[in-house]
Amino acid sequence: MAGNERDGTPHGRAGDPGNNASSSLGEIASPYDRRLAWRAHGVLAQHNAVRALDAADVHVAATLARVTDEQDETVMLAAALATRAVRQGSVAIDLRDVFPSIDPAPAQDADAWTDRVRASRLAEHRALIVEHDLVYLQRYHQQEVAVVLDLRERAAQPAPVVDEGVLAAGLPRVFPGPTYAEARAAAQIALRSWTSALTGGPGTGKTTTVAGVLALLAEQAAACGERPLRVGLAAPTGKAAARMKEAVTAALGLILQHTSDPAARAVIEPLAGVPALTLHRLLGRRNDSSTRFRYDRTHRLPHDVVVVDESSMVSLTHMARLLEALRPTTRLILVGDPDQLVSVDAGAVLADIVAGIETGTGAVAGKSQTTPLPLEGGRPNAPVALARLRTAHRYGHTIGELAEHLRAGDAGAVMGQLTSAASNLE
């Protein structure tokens, strides 16, 4: 689950050509340039000099080599490239992608180079992890494994209990008419799953659907005689959290307009008072750590449902921290467009999960990695259930079709729609 698209490459490729070691930005002319690793030597110094590696990449690789007594410069180079991959948004690198650009060649071929890394002292001490022919720094491999295991464990539980009569009565009221057919289907997926991904492009009604899901869950809790629903609303940034709060509140207002039953109104109305927080605030900041939070495996979040908007921006590290902080019976709803905003840190978890579900291969790390794991949607005990909203309501049908063609990468359909005299794209 390591993709990112900050470098302009698809989230599907770890170590794409755009990240190759030969993609230098000009040699470092001054010996005082801050990008120059003064004590570097050999292969690391060579690639640092042409700015294929930054000083930070070199220093990390050199430090790992020193503490593990690694002597193989080609292995150190792989460690530096793995470090650079993290800076550029991926938590792993495929040496086959960068091998053609390395001069001199570190081995007779990329597979041989990977094998050298796999047999190295860095790998022996687990400073580097080689899995599925991808090279990871240990930390990110651990986080990726933790995310997959947590998703599997959540799915291994009995499915959430749903009062079918209450749901049947609530769905047409919360999502009235044919316009909301996709939202009704998505809501049912979210109600019946411990972990779900609600995706769609701009204007497809993701936040409206979230508000409806919360209303239906509140009615479910009341029908079972449970305490009022405890909801956590979060987003990666304060601006995104504020937009989420505004949109959810407005959508709940519309739902209340169609709800005349006093008992139903009484359980829905409090939802408008739920604050939307940044993911950091939801997890609880700690002054002694920037990657650990107050809520964790020993101190779980109290919520019955947690909704994370703009989930495409959530890095692998923060997704791992969120999953470990959830109680097993907390519903998690990841909301976002996997084809839009990306994390400022390493990993594009939502994009990789969605890609794995849609291809039926599962989703793990790397911009290209699709290692078979049971992350398929629509199957029994699937760790993540996918609900994709495709109809754009805010911008009109034509814009919605154009967005779908762009998402699918259908250049012919995009150009055809842009050049069609019948298209109204204003």
Side-chain angles (χ1 to χ4, degrees), residues 37-54:
W38 285 5
R39 297 180 181 179
H41 57 83
V43 173
L44 294 182
Q46 173 187 340
H47 290 286
N48 178 222
V50 295
R51 293 180 59 188
L53 296 173
D54 272 1

Side-chain angles (χ1 to χ4, degrees), residues 169-188:
L171 275 173
R173 172 172 44 81
V174 172
F175 300 111
T179 303
Y180 288 100
E182 286 182 348
R184 285 193 295 272
Q188 293 188 70

Side-chain angles (χ1 to χ4, degrees), residues 2 5 43 51-52 65 88 108 120 142 154 162 173 177 206 213 236 239 250-251 257 361 369:
E5 296 184 31
V43 173
R51 293 180 59 188
Q88 296 181 331
Q108 62 266 34
S120 69
Q142 289 177 335
R154 288 172 59 80
V162 175
R173 172 172 44 81
K206 295 186 295 293
V213 168
K239 185 175 181 180
Q257 290 180 16
T361 58
Q369 184 60 16

Side-chain angles (χ1 to χ4, degrees), residues 212-274:
V213 168
L214 295 178
L216 293 170
L217 286 173
E219 293 179 1
Q220 289 283 321
C224 296
E226 299 176 357
R227 51 171 164 63
L229 193 70
R230 294 178 295 186
V231 177
L233 300 179
T237 67
K239 185 175 181 180
R243 288 198 303 264
M244 180 189 194
K245 170 63 177 174
E246 181 181 1
V248 167
T249 300
L252 288 170
L254 293 176
I255 291 171
L256 286 170
Q257 290 180 16
H258 298 97
T259 305
S260 57
D261 178 36
R265 293 182 64 87
V267 299
I268 295 174
E269 285 174 343
L271 297 173
V274 175

Side-chain angles (χ1 to χ4, degrees), residues 320-341:
R321 300 294 177 255
L322 173 63
L323 286 169
E324 72 180 19
L326 293 177
R327 293 180 298 122
T329 54
T330 297
R331 282 182 176 85
L332 173 62
I333 305 174
L334 303 174
V335 184
D337 184 351
D339 304 307
Q340 278 198 322
L341 299 173

Side-chain angles (χ1 to χ4, degrees), residues 6-344:
R6 289 209 313 274
D7 59 1
T9 58
H11 62 258
R13 296 297 295 176
D16 269 335
N19 293 336
N20 281 351
S22 66
S23 299
S24 63
L25 301 176
E27 294 188 6
I28 296 176
S30 170
Y32 303 105
D33 194 302
R34 63 182 176 82
R35 296 163 298 179
L36 185 67
W38 285 5
R39 297 180 181 179
H41 57 83
V43 173
L44 294 182
Q46 173 187 340
H47 290 286
N48 178 222
V50 295
R51 293 180 59 188
L53 296 173
D54 272 1
D57 308 326
V58 173
H59 290 317
V60 169
T63 299
L64 292 176
R66 184 171 62 252
V67 299
T68 61
D69 195 28
E70 178 61 65
Q71 302 297 320
D72 190 333
E73 286 194 342
T74 67
V75 175
M76 297 180 205
L77 177 59
L81 292 171
T83 304
R84 187 193 63 176
V86 169
R87 289 193 299 102
Q88 296 181 331
S90 291
V91 303
I93 187 165
D94 190 335
L95 297 180
R96 291 170 296 188
D97 289 323
V98 300
F99 180 83
S101 66
I102 302 296
D103 185 21
Q108 62 266 34
D109 56 38
D111 290 336
W113 187 15
T114 304
D115 288 339
R116 290 177 73 169
V117 177
R118 186 181 286 110
S120 69
R121 291 189 63 81
L122 281 178
E124 178 185 348
H125 289 274
R126 297 188 66 79
L128 292 181
I129 309 294
V130 181
E131 186 172 276
H132 309 301
D133 292 326
L134 293 176
V135 179
Y136 297 79
L137 297 176
Q138 181 191 53
R139 167 186 171 184
Y140 295 97
H141 183 265
Q142 289 177 335
Q143 290 174 357
E144 181 180 288
V145 170
V147 166
V148 173
L149 290 178
D150 282 338
L151 291 174
R152 285 175 170 174
E153 289 177 4
R154 288 172 59 80
Q157 308 171 101
V161 176
V162 175
D163 187 318
E164 299 295 342
V166 173
L167 179 60
L171 275 173
R173 172 172 44 81
V174 172
F175 300 111
T179 303
Y180 288 100
E182 286 182 348
R184 285 193 295 272
Q188 293 188 70
I189 290 173
L191 260 73
R192 301 180 193 280
S193 309
W194 292 119
T195 310
S196 57
L198 175 61
T199 71
T204 53
K206 295 186 295 293
T207 311
T208 299
T209 303
V210 165
V213 168
L214 295 178
L216 293 170
L217 286 173
E219 293 179 1
Q220 289 283 321
C224 296
E226 299 176 357
R227 51 171 164 63
L229 193 70
R230 294 178 295 186
V231 177
L233 300 179
T237 67
K239 185 175 181 180
R243 288 198 303 264
M244 180 189 194
K245 170 63 177 174
E246 181 181 1
V248 167
T249 300
L252 288 170
L254 293 176
I255 291 171
L256 286 170
Q257 290 180 16
H258 298 97
T259 305
S260 57
D261 178 36
R265 293 182 64 87
V267 299
I268 295 174
E269 285 174 343
L271 297 173
V274 175
L277 309 174
T278 63
L279 192 55
H280 282 75
R281 286 192 62 193
L282 179 76
L283 292 173
R285 291 180 180 273
R286 279 175 43 175
N287 294 330
D288 62 337
S289 177
S290 61
T291 59
R292 291 287 179 178
F293 298 90
R294 185 163 61 91
Y295 289 101
D296 54 24
R297 292 196 192 280
T298 61
H299 183 205
R300 305 287 184 126
L301 288 164
H303 306 95
D304 301 304
V305 56
V306 170
V307 180
V308 182
D309 199 14
E310 301 290 4
S311 293
S312 62
M313 298 174 64
V314 179
S315 68
L316 176 63
T317 297
H318 288 140
M319 187 63 73
R321 300 294 177 255
L322 173 63
L323 286 169
E324 72 180 19
L326 293 177
R327 293 180 298 122
T329 54
T330 297
R331 282 182 176 85
L332 173 62
I333 305 174
L334 303 174
V335 184
D337 184 351
D339 304 307
Q340 278 198 322
L341 299 173
V342 295
S343 167
V344 296

